Amino acid sequence: MPGQLQDKVALITGAGSGIGRATALAMAREGAAVVVSDVDAEGGEETVTLIGDKSRATFIHADVTDPDDVDALVTRTVEMFGSLDCAVNNAGVVNGGTRMHEMPDETYDRIMNVNVRGVWLCMKREIAQMLEQGGGNIVNTASGAGLVALPGAAEYVASKHAVVGLTRTAAVDYAADGIRVNCVCPGYVKTNMTRAIWEDPERLTAMVAKEPIGRIGEPEEVADAIVWLSSDASSFVTGHPLSIDGGYVAL
């Protein structure tokens, strides 16, 4: 039985670990040719190795904050596989635990540069390609922090609210062109970014206490939602920030 993304070409940034890696594996399983991109070459190559013979896959190193890297990433994707049907803008960084007046300016710049400028640059180039070929799907990784406040993480919260805003506006601007744009808003998920929390029993208990479902999420649970948003099964969905958070933002 054909997969949900059979014969599609998918590009995933930040695919060297965590949600990005889980998404690359899920898209390959569903029949897509996959371009794995990350600044971490070792992690990206490992993701390609994990895909194995499930589908065609390659790693392309790219820094999403560098316009030349982003342009080359999309160009090489199309040269290698012929199109760009599904783009997942997942690369991001996180901060937390410091109130705004104590946060170094450099931290703000880094968070906004990767989480906002990176998504914006990728979307610009992806949309241009999708306009040429007559359509496509984009899914951005925002966060539950893109929908509600997160104490001690003003810069991160601002960046993820911006991703939701970029998503909604692009969805409206390009809906008539056959391009759907959505974003996922994960809650606490077991990734390298949250390792310091979920490996600490006390902090893990505090984290789980904030999740009505009673546990933290797995990267694969977010990846499955990204696959759905990238597939024809969600053909009437665009501009939507999908919470995948165990009920966190419902509180």
Side-chain angles (χ1 to χ4, degrees), residues 1-10 12 23-35 51 53-57 81 83 85-86 227 230-231:
M1 181 177 177
Q4 296 181 73
L5 302 177
Q6 195 67 40
D7 299 324
K8 302 293 186 181
V9 176
I12 305 108
T23 300
L25 294 173
M27 288 185 151
R29 181 191 67 224
E30 293 298 328
V34 176
V35 173
I51 290 172
D53 60 2
K54 298 181 184 70
S55 185
R56 295 177 296 161
F81 296 117
S83 65
D85 304 299
C86 310
V227 168
S230 301
S231 75

Side-chain angles (χ1 to χ4, degrees), residues 21 30 36 41 45 48 61 91 124 130 134 136 139 149 159 173 176 183 193 200 203 210 212 214 219:
R21 172 175 287 176
E30 293 298 328
V36 173
E45 293 287 4
V48 172
H61 181 279
K124 279 185 66 179
M130 290 175 180
V139 180
S159 74
D173 282 348
C183 63
M193 279 189 178
D200 181 328
R203 296 178 74 185
K210 297 177 182 180

Side-chain angles (χ1 to χ4, degrees), residues 4 51 56 66 80 84 89 98 101 107 113 132 134 162 166-167 172 180 192 201-203 214 227-228 237 241 244:
Q4 296 181 73
I51 290 172
R56 295 177 296 161
D66 184 329
M80 294 177 73
L84 175 58
N89 299 313
T98 304
H101 76 285
T107 300
N113 199 32
E132 285 186 25
L166 286 171
T167 297
V172 172
R180 293 191 298 114
N192 286 340
E202 185 175 335
R203 296 178 74 185
V227 168
W228 179 73
V237 181
I244 311 167

Side-chain angles (χ1 to χ4, degrees), residues 4-215:
Q4 296 181 73
L5 302 177
Q6 195 67 40
D7 299 324
K8 302 293 186 181
V9 176
L11 164 62
I12 305 108
T13 67
S17 64
I19 291 169
R21 172 175 287 176
T23 300
L25 294 173
M27 288 185 151
R29 181 191 67 224
E30 293 298 328
V34 176
V35 173
V36 173
S37 185
D38 207 300
V39 291
D40 175 10
E42 183 178 354
E45 293 287 4
E46 185 177 347
T47 299
V48 172
T49 298
L50 289 170
I51 290 172
D53 60 2
K54 298 181 184 70
S55 185
R56 295 177 296 161
T58 192
F59 170 71
I60 300 177
H61 181 279
D63 178 349
V64 297
T65 69
D66 184 329
D68 292 336
D69 272 18
V70 172
D71 187 66
L73 175 61
V74 174
T75 297
R76 289 183 62 192
T77 296
V78 176
E79 287 175 349
M80 294 177 73
F81 296 117
S83 65
L84 175 58
D85 304 299
C86 310
V88 182
N89 299 313
N90 172 73
V93 291
V94 66
N95 76 300
T98 304
R99 292 189 298 168
M100 190 183 302
H101 76 285
E102 300 169 318
M103 179 61 62
D105 295 347
E106 295 78 11
T107 300
Y108 172 87
D109 291 341
R110 177 172 177 265
I111 293 287
M112 299 302 286
N113 199 32
V114 177
N115 292 1
V116 184
R117 176 179 165 82
V119 170
W120 179 70
L121 286 172
C122 287
M123 288 178 67
K124 279 185 66 179
R125 186 62 182 86
E126 293 156 359
I127 288 169
Q129 172 59 35
M130 290 175 180
L131 287 171
E132 285 186 25
Q133 65 191 37
N137 288 293
I138 296 174
V139 180
N140 298 317
T141 300
S143 169
L147 302 173
V148 297
L150 184 63
E155 296 76 13
Y156 182 73
V157 169
S159 74
K160 292 303 185 178
H161 272 71
V163 171
V164 173
L166 286 171
T167 297
R168 285 174 161 159
T169 303
V172 172
D173 282 348
Y174 297 101
D177 298 296
I179 300 172
R180 293 191 298 114
V181 188
N182 294 286
C183 63
V184 291
C185 297
Y188 292 109
V189 176
K190 192 175 183 181
T191 67
N192 286 340
M193 279 189 178
T194 59
R195 181 180 296 276
I197 299 175
W198 54 261
E199 285 189 340
D200 181 328
E202 185 175 335
R203 296 178 74 185
L204 177 60
T205 298
M207 180 189 288
V208 170
K210 297 177 182 180
E211 297 284 7
I213 207 168
R215 63 177 177 84

Side-chain angles (χ1 to χ4, degrees), residues 207-236:
M207 180 189 288
V208 170
K210 297 177 182 180
E211 297 284 7
I213 207 168
R215 63 177 177 84
I216 62 174
E218 297 291 339
E220 292 76 15
E221 293 175 298
V222 182
D224 287 343
I226 293 174
V227 168
W228 179 73
L229 287 171
S230 301
S231 75
D232 291 341
S234 62
S235 57
F236 201 54

